[in-house]
Amino acid sequence: MSILSKLLKGTAVAAAALGLTLGAAQAEKKDLTIAYVEWSDAVVATNVVKAALEDKGYKVKIVPLSGAAMWQAVATGEADAMVAAWLPGTHAAYYDKLKSKVDNLGPNVTGAKIGWAVPTYVDITTIEDIKKDPAKFGGKVIGIDPGAGLMKASEKAIKEYGLPVKLVEGSDATMVAALKDAYAKKEPIVITTWTPHWMFATWDLKYLDDPKGVFGGEETVNTIVSTKLKEEAPEAYKILDGFNLSLADEQALMVENEKPGADPAATAKAWVAANKAKVDAWTK
């Protein structure tokens, strides 16, 4: 073999090896982690996007965390994404602190809101009305998990309106349980709440007017991803960027998840299979 032939052969081998190396470096990351909080809407959205990604060959792990930990996990890259970021108000403090460390892909649900609600049989219409007879409500407003943006806004509301009530910490589940018990007995109760939530399809409830605007206006639920995701998994990034649900679809799925024996993962998979056109719009 001539020297030239040897050189050409060596160059070809080197080029092939380099191509393999570059190919490995550019391979799509297939193992993904999505963080979420165990709020009814977040459970639905997280399981739906998980099912859509799995249909495209990804292995997806979903991890329940507190609101603050969810944001931190995406900012540090421990989680690749979340689909439960309420903006511009509810999660403003988290976003302001971490926005340089995450990538905001925009709304996946629009028309969301937060506030306080009572059953329609309770004869008050505004947050200010609670002050007239706080004992009627046991001197309490039933809240969710501490650290949630809704709880921070609720603490502010108590101060702004000068209400002699205690904000009770708990979870989505404990708040709903308290509502269910009070509703069955037709007792007055004030709860912290948000839309979308399945309980508005289950019980007759009304938001209390907020004349001071403590809870802000309409919000969106946003998809937030790690700053590394676009490079590591560009196709998954596109799917997450396209992901969206209507309020009607999300609330219907929440109602399904409240049925005895329901499995949120199975509910989500069935919805993805039955809504191919909607899912194709995210994934193609």
Side-chain angles (χ1 to χ4, degrees), residues 118 122-129 206-211:
V118 297
V122 179
D123 60 349
I124 65 171
T125 57
T126 75
I127 292 173
E128 291 175 317
D129 291 339
K206 61 184 178 183
Y207 275 101
L208 293 176
D209 291 340
D210 174 22

Side-chain angles (χ1 to χ4, degrees), residues 20-227:
L20 289 171
T21 302
L22 289 173
Q26 294 172 352
E28 177 95 2
K29 174 181 174 179
K30 288 293 184 178
D31 288 355
L32 302 174
T33 299
I34 300 178
Y36 72 107
V37 182
E38 290 179 310
W39 303 320
S40 301
D41 59 309
V43 169
V44 165
T46 303
N47 276 282
V48 167
V49 79
K50 174 180 186 285
L53 285 163
E54 287 177 338
D55 275 357
K56 293 297 181 180
Y58 296 92
K59 182 179 179 182
V60 183
K61 178 182 180 182
I62 60 174
V63 181
L65 299 168
S66 69
M70 173 180 71
W71 275 90
Q72 193 65 34
V74 178
T76 60
E78 293 175 81
D80 296 292
M82 60 168 160
V83 291
W86 282 63
L87 296 171
T90 306
H91 287 174
Y94 300 140
Y95 187 55
D96 289 346
K97 182 180 178 181
L98 299 170
K99 61 185 174 184
S100 65
K101 300 178 180 179
V102 298
D103 192 354
N104 182 359
L105 301 187
N108 57 63
V109 171
T110 58
K113 68 178 291 186
I114 63 170
W116 289 356
V118 297
T120 53
Y121 59 75
V122 179
D123 60 349
I124 65 171
T125 57
T126 75
I127 292 173
E128 291 175 317
D129 291 339
I130 297 171
K131 204 170 182 177
K132 297 174 184 176
D133 188 7
K136 179 164 67 174
F137 305 99
K140 297 182 292 188
V141 173
I142 307 303
I144 56 170
D145 40 303
L150 174 56
M151 292 293 276
K152 293 183 185 300
S154 294
E155 289 167 358
K156 183 180 179 183
I158 289 171
K159 291 178 182 177
E160 290 281 330
Y161 288 100
L163 302 176
V165 296
K166 178 185 178 183
L167 181 61
V168 179
E169 295 178 350
S171 66
D172 183 3
T174 59
M175 177 269 290
V176 169
L179 171 63
K180 182 179 181 181
D181 183 61
Y183 200 96
K185 299 172 184 176
K186 289 294 183 283
E187 293 177 348
I189 186 172
V190 181
I191 57 168
T192 62
T193 191
W194 61 95
T195 302
H197 199 295
W198 61 270
M199 62 186 174
F200 286 95
T202 305
W203 298 294
D204 291 325
L205 306 173
K206 61 184 178 183
Y207 275 101
L208 293 176
D209 291 340
D210 174 22
K212 294 183 184 291
V214 174
F215 291 103
E218 183 175 301
E219 297 216 85
T220 58
V221 186
N222 296 260
T223 300
I224 306 291
V225 301
S226 161
T227 54

